[in-house]
């Protein structure tokens, strides 16, 4: 308190010596009990004296800046520092040539910006970030230890300035900070504090989409992989992982990381942690395998690692599927799903016997299994089933039997993938569609899921599979099973879907039902308002031509039923159909003429 009183008097008289001794006393007090001493500084109104003491030529300046840096460690002092007008003179000091002045000024500004909107705003208005970014750029080539300390402080200041603030991060990106920081990482990789600061800054900036292009134009991939290879400590590896994950979302950087050798590093981590019991081993295994899967999401990086099915990485990842570790099983199945993104890869993988590994994995997870593993393995099977040549092979390998074991699942993600896998498998496969379509347990479950209003994906896929069973089997027995399972009404609703492909699938299936068992379906058609739905589709100008065409085919197909015939007559279909005779689409206009003849003949 004495020192503060003296400081007030001395600053009024500009007595440099007595000011110096007061500042020394104050720094000691702050070192002894920072919060307490800072409160006294605030209470006695000393902050407002400090701008005049921040003169560029004064010998006191570094100490004054140091005091500001110390008091600004307390959250309650940051706004008062801004209100006392400390930011403009501090920013002016950034033009100094004195290393100690720059160091203490950088600390002061960095601490005032920490988690403080007012602090950041004031530094932004005073143009502080531009000057600091300029310093970092010009100092980056100098590897002198003192210089390293200054660079660390300046990087920390920019990080505090922009942390979790998109517009200030964008400002730094526009200033070209990213290439400078990447250079720093390369030149100063032995300076632990500076390296950590760069990594945290990258982690912040990499979250912004606009940063990815800048990162991609640097050699960040090589620098991070080189740094990763040098690390032994878990914490350091984690820090690098936190930068790699957001960067690896960019396809160009994915390929750069693969070419820089990141995959080998990740496989190494997996090998060393797979049997580890410690929490950090489990965490590293998860991060490394997740990152591996992320790298496979890029088409070029995936194809490079697939290497025509002979890639060592591809083979290593396959070996994860039979592992006893759930995390590796999951990553292995997801990796297969990612490799299975084009027909060539899928055909090759099915020939190499991957399907059997996935089925064995699913069998291990039927009873109280791991939902994420189930979901991933089903995703892989669904993708593998897309090429026509794979379908019969996968069916004879018993894929549909294994998939059906998951019918009781109450997990929507598993239900969704199960439905998609079966739908892909039966596409163009008459016998399989027939076999599954007469499985009343499956049809009952599909009908139940067709009502899953909380899960639009499951509801849509159930409808599509129901329709596919009929369309690909063209079997009277399948139609009977669907009628008995109360599935017809869902196909009628599906005909009104907002997705044209689903409307079409529904109409074709309904046409087959009408053609194969009109008597059996009559009651359901009436109950579901099929005729009204068709009238709506034909009257609406926005309806696509193929939907109109299939709706008219269906009208003709239901005319053999008396109650449906009556409904058709009651809705004056002839008017709607005759208008379609002049439709610009020739197939539609031709079908309209045929339908009109049929309606006239039977009226």
């Amino acid at each position: 308190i004495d020192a503060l009183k003296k400081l007030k008097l001395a600053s009024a008289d500009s007595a440099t010596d007595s000011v110096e001794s007061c500042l020394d006393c104050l720094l000691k007090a702050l070192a002894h009990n920072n919060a307490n001493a800072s409160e006294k500084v605030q209470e006695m109104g000393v902050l407002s004296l400090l701008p005049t003491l921040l003169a560029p030529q004064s010998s006191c300046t570094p100490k004054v800046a140091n005091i500001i840096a110390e008091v600004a460690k307390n959250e309650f002092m940051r706004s008062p520092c801004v209100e006392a007008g400390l930011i403009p003179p501090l920013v002016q000091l950034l033009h100094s040539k004195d290393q100690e002045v720059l160091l203490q000024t950088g600390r002061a500004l960095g601490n005032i910006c920490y988690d403080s909107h007012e602090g950041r705003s004031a530094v932004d208005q005073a143009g502080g970030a531009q000057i600091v970014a300029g310093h970092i750029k010009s100092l980056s080539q100098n590897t002198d230890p003192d210089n390293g300390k200054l660079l660390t402080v300046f990087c920390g200041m920019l990080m505090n300035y922009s942390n979790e603030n998109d517009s200030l991060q964008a400002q730094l990106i526009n200033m070209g900070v990213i290439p400078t920081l990447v250079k720093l990482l390369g030149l100063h990789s032995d300076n632990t504090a500076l390296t950590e600061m760069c990594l945290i800054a990258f982690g912040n900036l990499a979250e912004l989409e606009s940063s990815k292009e800048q990162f991609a134009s640097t050699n960040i991939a090589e620098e991070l992989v080189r740094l990763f290879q040098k690390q032994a400590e878990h914490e350091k590896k984690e820090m690098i992982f936190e930068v790699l994950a957001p960067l690896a979302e960019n396809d160009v950087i994915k390929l750069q990381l693969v070419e820089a050798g990141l995959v080998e590093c990740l496989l190494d981590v997996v090998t060393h942690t797979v049997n580890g019991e410690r929490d950090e081993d489990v965490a590293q295994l998860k991060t490394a395998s997740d990152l591996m899967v992320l790298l496979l999401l890029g088409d070029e990086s995936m194809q490079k690692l697939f290497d025509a099915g002979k890639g060592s990485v591809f083979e290593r990842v396959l070996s994860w599927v039979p592992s006893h570790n759930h995390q590796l099983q999951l990553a292995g199945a997801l990796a297969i799903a990612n490799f299975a993104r084009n027909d060539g890869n899928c055909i090759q993988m099915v020939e190499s016997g991957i399907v059997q590994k996935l089925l064995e994995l699913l069998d291990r997870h039927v009873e109280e299994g791991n939902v994420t593993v189930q979901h991933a393995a089903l995703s892989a099977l669904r993708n593998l089933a897309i090429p026509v040549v794979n379908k019969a092979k996968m069916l004879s390998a018993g894929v549909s039997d294994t998939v059906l074991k998951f019918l009781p699942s109450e997990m929507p993600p598993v239900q969704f993938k199960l439905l998609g896998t079966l739908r892909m498998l039966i596409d163009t496969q008459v016998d399989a569609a027939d076999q599954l379509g007469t499985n009343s347990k499956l049809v009952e479950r599909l009908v139940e899921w067709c009502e899953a209003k909380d899960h639009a994906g499951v509801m849509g896929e159930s409808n599509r599979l129901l329709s596919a069973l009929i369309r690909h089997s063209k079997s009277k027995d399948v139609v009977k099973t669907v009628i008995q399972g109360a599935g017809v009404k869902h196909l009628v609703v599906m005909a009104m879907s907002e997705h044209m492909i689903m409307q079409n699938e529904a109409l074709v299936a309904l046409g087959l039902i009408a053609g194969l068992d009109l008597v059996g379906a009559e009651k359901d058609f009436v109950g579901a308002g099929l005729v009204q739905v068709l009238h709506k589709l034909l009257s609406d100008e926005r309806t696509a031509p193929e939907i109109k065409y299939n709706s008219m085919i269906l009208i003709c197909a239901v005319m053999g039923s008396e109650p449906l015939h009556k409904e058709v007559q009651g809705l004056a279909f002839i008017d709607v159909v005759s208008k379609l005779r002049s439709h610009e689409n020739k197939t539609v206009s031709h079908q309209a003429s045929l339908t009109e003849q049929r309606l006239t003949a039977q009226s």
Side-chain angles (χ1 to χ4, degrees), residues 100-346:
E100 185 60 19
V101 170
L102 289 173
L103 189 74
Q104 298 305 343
T105 304
R107 285 184 61 234
L109 288 170
N111 290 353
I112 292 172
C113 283
Y114 185 79
D115 239 355
S116 159
H117 173 69
E118 294 84 1
R120 291 169 182 178
S121 243
V123 172
D124 181 20
Q125 280 165 6
Q130 284 87 334
I131 304 168
V132 170
H135 275 305
I136 295 174
K137 198 168 184 177
S138 60
L139 293 169
S140 59
Q141 304 294 326
N142 183 341
T143 50
D144 173 41
D146 286 346
N147 189 51
K149 204 171 172 188
L150 186 53
L151 277 169
T152 306
V153 165
F154 278 158
C155 286
M157 182 253 154
L158 287 187
M159 202 180 66
N160 286 355
Y161 170 71
S162 66
N163 189 28
E164 290 183 1
N165 184 314
D166 286 0
S167 66
L168 294 180
Q169 286 177 354
Q171 183 192 76
L172 294 184
I173 291 166
N174 292 335
M175 283 179 208
V177 162
I178 288 172
T180 306
L181 291 179
V182 175
K183 267 197 198 115
L184 271 190
L185 193 63
L187 290 167
H188 300 261
S189 57
D190 295 331
N191 182 333
T192 312
L194 182 53
T195 301
E196 283 186 15
M197 220 40 110
C198 284
L199 287 173
I200 297 168
F202 290 149
N204 287 346
L205 296 172
E207 297 293 340
L208 269 199
E209 212 35 59
S210 57
S211 73
K212 308 274 169 72
E213 239 168 85
Q214 272 208 26
F215 274 118
S217 67
T218 69
N219 63 337
I220 183 80
E222 289 167 41
E223 294 298 356
L224 288 175
V225 171
R226 193 178 303 143
L227 194 63
F228 191 87
Q229 287 162 339
K230 284 168 63 175
Q231 302 310 322
E233 291 169 49
H234 165 70
E235 279 77 15
K236 296 280 164 57
K237 285 183 178 172
E238 275 299 313
M239 277 185 92
I240 300 170
F241 274 144
E242 276 169 27
V243 180
L244 287 168
L247 285 179
E249 284 168 13
N250 176 283
D251 282 0
V252 178
I253 301 174
K254 279 187 184 79
L255 189 60
Q256 291 173 351
L257 288 168
V258 168
E259 287 171 343
L262 177 62
V263 172
E264 290 69 21
C265 296
L266 298 177
L267 291 172
D268 252 10
V269 172
V270 169
T271 306
H272 288 114
T273 56
V274 65
N275 298 315
E277 300 286 324
R278 298 174 306 171
D279 286 352
E280 62 188 56
D281 289 333
V282 176
Q284 268 195 55
L285 179 71
K286 176 169 170 34
T287 311
S289 52
D290 283 351
L291 193 48
M292 186 76 197
V293 172
L294 182 57
L295 291 176
L296 293 173
L297 279 172
D299 287 337
E300 284 187 76
S301 48
M302 177 273 286
Q303 214 50 50
K304 191 176 177 71
L305 294 172
F306 186 68
D307 194 12
K310 296 180 177 58
S312 60
V313 173
F314 171 64
E315 285 167 7
R316 284 277 294 278
V317 170
L318 286 196
S319 71
W320 294 355
V321 177
S323 150
H324 290 291
N325 182 300
H326 281 188
Q327 176 57 37
L328 275 196
Q329 293 170 2
L330 171 65
L334 286 172
I336 293 172
N338 284 343
F339 280 124
R341 284 212 312 280
N342 62 53
D343 283 6
N345 290 8
C346 289

Side-chain angles (χ1 to χ4, degrees), residues 279-525:
D279 286 352
E280 62 188 56
D281 289 333
V282 176
Q284 268 195 55
L285 179 71
K286 176 169 170 34
T287 311
S289 52
D290 283 351
L291 193 48
M292 186 76 197
V293 172
L294 182 57
L295 291 176
L296 293 173
L297 279 172
D299 287 337
E300 284 187 76
S301 48
M302 177 273 286
Q303 214 50 50
K304 191 176 177 71
L305 294 172
F306 186 68
D307 194 12
K310 296 180 177 58
S312 60
V313 173
F314 171 64
E315 285 167 7
R316 284 277 294 278
V317 170
L318 286 196
S319 71
W320 294 355
V321 177
S323 150
H324 290 291
N325 182 300
H326 281 188
Q327 176 57 37
L328 275 196
Q329 293 170 2
L330 171 65
L334 286 172
I336 293 172
N338 284 343
F339 280 124
R341 284 212 312 280
N342 62 53
D343 283 6
N345 290 8
C346 289
I347 292 164
Q348 213 166 339
M349 287 200 277
V350 168
E351 279 173 2
S352 73
I354 276 177
V355 171
Q356 209 44 54
K357 284 184 175 166
L358 289 168
L359 295 182
E360 284 162 13
L361 176 62
L362 279 171
D363 274 329
R364 287 157 70 181
H365 286 275
V366 174
E367 298 296 321
E368 297 166 23
N370 181 304
V371 173
T372 49
V373 174
Q374 292 172 0
H375 180 260
L378 288 168
S379 295
L381 288 172
R382 181 199 172 280
N383 288 3
L384 290 169
I386 292 172
V388 176
V389 292
N390 282 357
K391 298 180 197 293
K393 289 179 186 169
M394 290 176 71
L395 286 163
S396 59
V399 172
S400 60
D401 299 335
T402 301
V403 170
L404 286 172
K405 291 176 186 172
F406 294 90
L407 263 189
S409 172
E410 291 303 332
M411 294 295 173
V414 174
Q415 296 166 352
F416 180 72
K417 286 296 175 189
L418 169 154
L419 292 163
T421 306
L422 291 177
R423 188 166 65 77
M424 283 302 157
L425 278 172
I426 62 163
D427 195 2
T428 70
Q429 305 298 304
V430 179
D431 294 344
D434 200 1
Q435 195 186 349
L436 288 171
T438 50
N439 177 334
S440 53
K441 269 208 175 75
L442 170 63
V443 172
E444 275 168 33
R445 195 71 165 131
L446 291 183
V447 169
E448 193 184 317
W449 286 337
C450 282
E451 290 165 4
K453 292 199 166 40
D454 295 343
H455 302 287
V458 172
M459 196 162 99
E461 277 292 342
S462 307
N463 277 303
R464 293 190 75 185
L465 181 54
L466 204 54
S467 152
L469 293 168
I470 296 166
R471 288 183 297 110
H472 296 300
S473 69
K474 298 183 176 59
S475 145
K476 191 166 185 171
D477 291 337
V478 171
V479 167
K480 253 196 177 64
T481 311
V482 172
I483 294 170
Q484 283 163 359
V488 174
K489 63 181 178 197
H490 295 296
L491 293 171
V492 175
V493 173
M494 182 181 168
M496 291 299 286
S497 163
E498 59 197 23
H499 305 292
M500 195 180 80
I501 190 164
M502 286 175 69
Q503 284 184 297
N504 236 340
E505 288 172 359
L507 291 168
V508 173
L510 290 166
L512 285 162
I513 294 173
L516 292 165
D517 194 359
L518 183 56
V519 177
E522 183 179 80
K523 203 167 140 206
D524 290 334
F525 280 164

Side-chain angles (χ1 to χ4, degrees), residues 561-576:
S561 146
E562 199 181 327
L564 292 167
H565 185 175
K566 271 188 188 151
E567 287 189 1
V568 171
Q569 282 178 315
L571 278 172
F573 262 84
I574 289 194
D575 302 347
V576 182

Side-chain angles (χ1 to χ4, degrees), residues 38-39 41-43 45-51 68 71-72 74-88 90 112 116 118-119 122:
S38 295
E39 269 180 43
V41 168
Q42 166 74 331
E43 281 165 19
V46 169
L47 285 178
S48 57
L49 308 175
L50 300 183
I68 297 169
V71 299
N74 303 284
E75 191 183 347
F76 65 87
M77 291 299 284
R78 288 172 202 148
S79 289
C81 281
V82 175
E83 286 153 18
L86 295 177
I87 301 291
L90 281 170
I112 292 172
S116 159
E118 294 84 1

